[in-house]
Amino acid sequence: MSSIAELFFNNQAWAQDLSARDPKFFEQLAVQQRPEYLWIGCADSRVPAEELVGLAPGEVFVHRNVANVVVHTDFNSLSVMQFAVDVLKVKHIIVCGHYGCGGVHATLRGDRVGLADNWLRHVDDVLQKHSTFLDSWTDESTRFNHLCELNVIEQVANVCKTTVVRDAWERGQELSVHGWIYGMRDGLLRDLHTSAHSHESAKSSYANAVSSLPE
Ligand code: CO
């Protein structure tokens, strides 16, 4: 069986298995989705959003890009966020980075990777902003880990500053934004303690999260 044919074979087995457990599963899902979570993560194949938090189809709205970056003028991520918040009324937005991120590593080393260099300039902005803290570490792997963490913390702050999230908070909609990081070596998530549920808490959580990284 070719590798592509295998994917169709796997798909049939997966659909049959879900239908056997819940005969109305696909019928109900086809009519409506009601996810409580929006996941903004890295495109890395080793960080499967739904799978690592044990959620089923219909339970998490997902946006992934290289190095889980949230750019103020990126209509792709902004449109995802607007639909998730305004229409689906998700209660949580999770920005999830991961240790060992190739995009973050290329930025840290100043490697040229091609077109993506332009995209990764946003991670370079994070690097420049926290250069004093990052330069205080002589060990490259520690610097790398901290840049992965800081990139998540900065992207959470970017999410909180979007008109989508600010408007939701202003009209009193229940919405929290979180920053997590995933460890590929142990499969575990870590909370970076940068959660925000209002404009004020976003500012204090950001300051706390940045200052609570080990000196
Ligand atoms: Co990555």
Side-chain angles (χ1 to χ4, degrees), residues 93-104:
I93 299 176
I94 298 154
V95 178
C96 187
H98 66 104
Y99 292 119
C101 183
V104 173

Side-chain angles (χ1 to χ4, degrees), residues 41-47 65-68 97-104 184:
C42 183
D44 194 302
S45 65
R46 297 164 294 181
V47 193
N65 62 38
V66 172
N68 44 271
H98 66 104
Y99 292 119
C101 183
V104 173
M184 292 192 301

